[in-house]
Amino acid sequence: MIGKDVLGILYTDAYNDCISELTALRTTGSVPFGGRYRFIDFPLSNMVNSGITKVGVITKNNYRSLMDHVGSGKSWDLSRKNSGLFILPPYNFGGGKYKGRLEALRNTMDFIQASNEEYVLLCDTNIICNMDFKKLIKYHEAKNSDITICYKEGKYPQLANLMRFSVDADGEIADMTVPPKAEEGEGIFGVNIIVMKKSLLERLVNQATAGDYDVFEKEVIMKNLDKLNIYGYKIDTYCSVIDSMQTYYDTNMDLLDPAVSAQVFDRNNPVYTKVHDDMPAIYGVDSKAKNCVLADGCKIEGEVENSVLFRGVQVAKGAVVKNSVIMQSCYIGEDANLNCVIMDKNGVIRPRKSISGDSAYPIYIGKNISI
Amino acid sequence: MARKTECLAMLLAGGQGSRLGILTKNVAKPAVPYGGKYRIIDFPLSNCINSGIDTVGVLTQYQPLELNDYIGNGQAWDLDRANGGVHILSPYQQIQGTDWYRGTANAIYQNINFIDRYNPEYVAVLSGDHIYKMDYAEMLDFHKKKGAACTIAMLEVPWEEASRFGLMFVDDDGKITAFEEKPKNPKSNKASMGVYMFTWSKLREYLIADEAKEGSSNDFGKDVIPAMHNAGEVMVAFPFDGYWKDVGTIDSLWEANLDLLNPVANIDLSDKSWKIFSNNPVTPPQYVAPTAEIQNSLITGGSHVEGEVDYSVLFSNVTVEDGAEVKYSIVMPGAKIEKGAKVQYAMIAENAVIKSGAVVGEDPQAYDDRANWGVAVVGPNLTIGENAKVKAQTMVVEDVEGGAEV
């Protein structure tokens, strides 16, 4: 049974510098997304929907809001006596904070070794995708694979140490490169969702040299391409890797397409999140809402079009909000005008103020800012 | 041995709510959906936890399965506790005197042992039928200050409605001098809200006495309260000023839901200082399509709106297709209003489907016989066929075929 077999590990700090405005005060895993979620909700929900019952959440910096959001794991049914959710802050690590995946794993080795599961499923949190991990594990076992890496084909995400490779007819990975800096281009690339036997992970992490600049993708994966069976698992449903503010904006906007949202919010694999007990959304007299995704607690008196509104957003009479992502509890004053804006939590746009970006250059307004 | 608690609450949730017809055929009245994502019982439960009462007995009897499931371990209201918390209390078999709950007083009488475990000084007795926000701690302070044996929450109602209520006569000191039960010609407009605070030692005495009385109907209002009053116990009325709605009839349930859209009604569920908690459904955020036209409505997560929605309340996971119209109506979780269907002045229960071109309900202004106008109701899981018509004041309890008129 999968629950007893797979240990989930989430890297909640990976790639935080790609969306530095959003991660200035919060770790990647707790970046708000999609009206009522945070990034971590997606891989975490995928894990519990697949039957995984033990998840280690590796944290590094600014993880207070993440801890508050995830709590004891109750919303994902992970508040358990046996197994459940474990927050893993940096532990006694030689004075500094770890620099990458490899060091993070070394820091977490005691937790991993003390666990009893057979496999480990390693996941980044900047991936918006609804996936059935049971299928991934079955594939891994069917291929007799040592390491299975999920992949997509398309434009390369602008991320450092992206794994690029080719996949043969059987699914086996070859010709891997791991450029240290992001590069433009198209092709097959690894999405950081990786399965391998726990014992193998322990061995490989211990074997990898303990240098400062060592990169997991190079030391553990690429170096062992010829020695181990490394397979690729194709993700053919909607999957977006958040590598920039632009991608963050575009991915939120993608949710306005019912075909995309049906995949991301698959009713058979629901996305769980912290419960907030807001009242349902209210649309006032003379309000105009078209092509929007709205969360509970919103009060719409003005006009909202092509936008994603988080919990408790208030749009006053005469205000117009278009093509924007407005986070929790923002207040858009009377006759204000917003176009192509990403607005962080608790912001205020005073009456008659106007902020306009472009869909190819959305303007980011920070947390708690009043304009 | 349970830890001693100062005040616990007993919530009477056993009623059938027969006037709600098909809506309570398989579900107890306190579990009836309200306000988009709530159920009626969320109000007394949230009031309890917000007032600092963390030990609540919920007395169930009629069709309790959905209610019990909904309450679960009480976590949604912070009532999952090591000490106290929420407890579902059904009638149970005893060595002698096993019985269903014969009346509101008998229900509490049968649970004296439960209450004694916590050894409280005070017991709040609440009905599970009303929508209101109240701080029971304030009521308890009032009860203590007046040295009362029983405090009854009181609301001044409009004189035209007074005859529907149990009424009280209250002196300047707050003491209740007399009662009047649903009189034809009311001389008081001070109504009992069905919310009581008792000094437990006193209540316990009168419950035992009432149980032993031959011919008693074992009802609070008819038997226990008058007995306390006649014996000269100090009974006071706690004045309440705020929104309070009994949702025991189709019309009142419909009105109470639409009250959320009417600022004059003064019920604000977004008040963060007094949150109404509920067992939230897990849904994605709601989606409003480019073709949607929404005015003055309340819409809950998971819903998908492509059509017209005006002055209505949509619960979770409701679909309103392009070309469909929903006006002055309540649509409960999971219901689907298909292309070209029209729902007006109606209540559509959970998972019902209104097919293309069907018309449910009638506008009272276009209705000839005003006195016989009423809200149309479609029961849970039913289908109203294409182009069918459901007239005003009709309660649909089985599928309606395409083209039919009921």
Side-chain angles (χ1 to χ4, degrees):
Chain A
M1 221 182 8
I2 197 177
K4 297 206 157 43
D5 293 335
V6 184
L7 169 69
I9 298 278
L10 289 172
Y11 298 102
T12 62
D13 205 60
Y15 299 121
N16 62 333
D17 40 2
C18 300
I19 38 174
S20 53
E21 292 95 320
L22 292 168
T23 57
L25 297 168
R26 54 164 86 88
T27 189
T28 311
S30 68
V31 170
F33 177 83
R36 60 188 293 259
Y37 304 97
R38 294 190 189 248
F39 279 173
I40 195 176
D41 295 337
F42 294 86
L44 194 52
S45 300
N46 287 338
M47 287 181 175
V48 302
N49 285 332
S50 305
I52 294 173
T53 56
K54 189 171 182 187
V55 182
V57 178
I58 297 178
T59 65
K60 182 174 159 184
N61 270 325
N62 293 333
Y63 46 92
R64 223 193 274 173
S65 64
L66 182 73
M67 287 181 70
D68 174 66
H69 177 77
V70 150
S72 64
K74 237 190 256 185
S75 301
W76 296 265
D77 236 356
L78 287 174
S79 176
R80 300 203 175 204
K81 277 191 162 180
N82 280 323
S83 62
L85 186 89
F86 292 82
I87 305 243
L88 305 164
Y91 173 79
N92 210 16
F93 194 77
K97 294 250 165 77
Y98 39 77
K99 289 188 183 65
R101 240 176 261 281
L102 198 46
E103 290 190 341
L105 283 174
R106 282 199 195 99
N107 194 215
T108 316
M109 246 329 125
D110 58 337
F111 169 77
I112 294 174
Q113 276 164 341
S115 301
N116 295 321
E117 287 74 12
E118 196 182 348
Y119 295 107
V120 181
L121 172 60
L122 305 157
C123 257
D124 277 357
T125 53
N126 64 330
I127 305 168
I128 303 299
C129 180
N130 194 314
M131 249 184 95
D132 182 351
F133 289 146
K134 287 198 295 291
K135 290 199 183 124
L136 171 63
I137 305 292
K138 274 209 186 87
Y139 176 90
H140 178 86
E141 289 177 332
K143 295 287 178 186
N144 241 326
S145 166
D146 291 315
I147 302 178
T148 303
I149 303 173
C150 293
Y151 72 88
K152 268 197 76 172
E153 197 163 346
K155 245 176 79 175
Y156 291 142
Q158 297 303 290
L159 299 173
N161 302 315
L162 185 74
M163 288 182 281
R164 299 200 227 162
F165 45 83
S166 62
V167 177
D168 72 16
D170 192 35
E172 205 167 350
I173 290 179
D175 307 325
M176 187 183 283
T177 57
V178 181
K181 287 212 179 89
E183 278 175 21
E184 302 264 352
E186 255 184 55
I188 292 180
F189 58 90
V191 167
N192 280 314
I193 299 175
I194 299 175
V195 183
M196 68 179 88
K197 274 217 170 89
K198 187 171 82 77
S199 50
L200 177 63
L201 179 68
E202 288 164 10
R203 178 161 65 86
L204 294 177
V205 169
N206 286 328
Q207 274 174 3
T209 52
D212 254 0
Y213 297 99
D214 289 320
V215 169
F216 177 88
E217 291 84 344
K218 273 213 188 96
E219 295 301 316
V220 173
I221 310 285
M222 199 172 80
K223 280 210 173 130
N224 290 303
L225 217 52
D226 296 324
K227 301 180 206 141
L228 299 172
N229 295 333
I230 302 192
Y231 280 79
Y233 176 85
K234 186 160 193 218
I235 297 180
D236 48 19
T237 51
Y238 181 88
C239 171
S240 177
V241 178
I242 312 292
D243 63 353
S244 64
M245 290 301 280
Q246 184 64 49
T247 311
Y248 173 79
Y249 174 80
D250 292 337
T251 309
N252 270 291
M253 290 293 135
D254 279 348
L255 297 178
L256 298 175
D257 176 355
V260 169
S261 111
Q263 288 180 65
V264 174
F265 299 120
D266 180 352
R267 301 296 177 129
N268 296 320
N269 284 327
V271 183
Y272 300 99
T273 188
K274 180 181 178 186
V275 168
H276 289 281
D277 297 296
D278 286 306
M279 68 168 290
I282 295 217
Y283 300 76
V285 184
D286 297 329
S287 67
K288 236 194 248 167
K290 287 199 188 295
N291 201 28
C292 300
V293 159
L294 266 105
D296 282 354
C298 284
K299 280 207 167 104
I300 312 296
E301 304 276 356
E303 211 180 305
V304 184
E305 202 175 316
N306 300 334
S307 294
V308 176
L309 266 56
F310 286 60
R311 302 190 285 119
V313 168
Q314 291 187 60
V315 177
K317 244 184 166 50
V320 177
V321 175
K322 290 194 180 168
N323 308 310
S324 294
V325 177
I326 313 289
M327 292 190 214
Q328 185 189 322
S329 301
C330 285
Y331 175 77
I332 318 297
E334 279 184 25
D335 300 319
N337 206 303
L338 291 182
N339 181 35
C340 296
V341 163
I342 300 171
M343 203 169 154
D344 212 320
K345 283 160 81 167
N346 303 322
V348 173
I349 306 290
R350 297 212 179 85
R352 291 171 294 283
K353 291 289 176 191
S354 180
I355 313 270
S356 189
D358 186 271
S359 56
Y361 195 89
I363 293 191
Y364 172 76
I365 302 176
K367 220 163 124 172
N368 302 320
I369 290 193
S370 276
I371 298 183
Chain B
M1 174 73 187
R3 192 175 66 187
K4 181 179 167 58
T5 191
E6 189 193 16
C7 176
L8 62 74
M10 296 293 267
L11 218 166
L12 300 167
Q16 182 193 352
S18 53
R19 288 171 296 168
L20 290 175
I22 190 73
L23 296 180
T24 49
K25 178 167 177 225
N26 294 314
V27 148
K29 186 159 117 185
V32 165
Y34 168 80
K37 61 178 269 202
Y38 306 95
R39 296 193 191 231
I40 296 171
I41 201 171
D42 290 328
F43 288 85
L45 284 176
S46 301
N47 288 339
C48 280
I49 198 63
N50 288 333
S51 304
I53 297 177
D54 62 12
T55 305
V56 181
V58 177
L59 286 77
T60 63
Q61 174 155 273
Y62 176 80
Q63 294 284 16
L65 294 181
E66 196 161 324
L67 184 66
N68 295 354
D69 217 29
Y70 180 70
I71 293 177
N73 68 350
Q75 190 230 307
W77 304 268
D78 240 2
L79 286 170
D80 56 332
R81 304 265 167 143
N83 278 300
V86 72
H87 290 76
I88 306 267
L89 303 167
S90 320
Y92 60 94
Q93 191 140 62
Q94 306 168 59
I95 299 239
Q96 12 168 236
T98 296
D99 212 344
W100 293 109
Y101 293 147
R102 276 182 271 115
T104 50
N106 174 255
I108 310 275
Y109 169 82
Q110 288 203 40
N111 286 289
I112 286 180
N113 287 335
F114 167 77
I115 299 174
D116 280 345
R117 286 169 60 93
Y118 295 96
N119 197 14
E121 266 115 81
Y122 307 98
V123 171
V125 177
L126 316 168
S127 81
D129 295 352
H130 301 105
I131 308 287
Y132 67 108
K133 295 194 228 171
M134 189 190 287
D135 189 346
Y136 303 133
E138 275 180 27
M139 188 176 176
L140 179 58
D141 281 344
F142 184 86
H143 178 88
K144 288 179 186 172
K145 221 185 286 169
K146 299 288 180 184
C150 167
T151 301
I152 305 181
M154 164 195 76
L155 181 71
E156 284 192 22
V157 297
W159 282 96
E160 325 81 76
E161 309 202 8
S163 53
R164 300 201 289 129
F165 296 94
L167 303 167
M168 306 183 282
F169 295 87
V170 183
D171 72 15
D172 293 325
D173 200 28
K175 289 212 173 61
I176 302 173
T177 52
F179 293 90
E180 218 184 12
E181 182 74 17
K182 298 197 177 83
K184 280 218 166 73
N185 296 305
K187 293 189 203 69
S188 164
N189 73 333
K190 294 181 157 64
S192 160
M193 292 168 66
V195 175
Y196 310 92
M197 182 67 72
F198 291 97
T199 298
W200 173 232
S201 51
K202 293 276 181 184
L203 175 62
R204 198 177 187 283
E205 230 177 85
Y206 284 89
L207 286 175
I208 293 173
D210 183 71
E211 186 68 16
K213 205 181 291 177
E214 281 270 344
S216 170
S217 56
N218 304 126
D219 180 88
F220 263 113
K222 299 200 188 93
D223 304 295
V224 173
I225 304 279
M228 290 181 87
H229 181 64
N230 294 332
E233 298 286 356
V234 179
M235 322 266 291
V236 295
F238 173 67
F240 174 78
D241 182 20
Y243 182 87
W244 179 77
K245 196 104 179 183
D246 180 320
V247 287
T249 62
I250 293 292
D251 283 349
S252 62
L253 180 62
W254 179 78
E255 267 168 35
N257 273 283
L258 294 187
D259 277 348
L260 292 169
L261 301 169
N262 179 3
V264 173
N266 197 24
I267 170 95
D268 180 11
L269 299 181
S270 66
D271 179 3
K272 288 197 160 63
S273 67
W274 203 265
K275 263 194 164 162
I276 302 300
F277 302 98
S278 69
N279 197 337
N280 288 253
V282 176
T283 65
Q286 57 201 261
Y287 171 69
V288 176
T291 50
E293 306 254 346
I294 304 175
Q295 284 291 295
N296 206 12
S297 294
L298 184 150
I299 303 188
T300 310
S303 285
H304 184 107
V305 180
E306 295 172 2
E308 243 181 271
V309 180
D310 189 0
Y311 211 92
S312 294
V313 173
L314 302 189
F315 285 62
S316 58
N317 298 319
V318 164
T319 307
V320 178
E321 287 184 355
D322 189 11
E325 258 179 67
V326 177
K327 291 185 172 156
Y328 287 86
S329 296
I330 315 296
V331 184
M332 293 190 183
K336 192 163 177 219
I337 318 297
E338 291 187 356
K339 210 182 186 61
K342 191 166 169 167
V343 172
Q344 52 194 355
Y345 300 90
M347 278 208 290
I348 311 296
E350 283 167 271
N351 301 316
V353 178
I354 313 299
K355 289 205 150 293
S356 261
V359 177
V360 178
E362 296 179 76
D363 185 336
Q365 281 163 348
Y367 201 72
D368 295 323
D369 188 7
R370 262 324 281 270
N372 283 322
W373 178 88
V375 167
V377 177
V378 174
N381 303 307
L382 299 178
T383 302
I384 305 296
E386 284 185 25
N387 302 313
K389 190 165 185 291
V390 177
K391 296 207 277 265
Q393 209 171 57
T394 308
M395 184 174 292
V396 176
V397 302
E398 52 186 22
D399 287 345
V400 174
E401 263 180 41
E405 202 174 292
V406 294

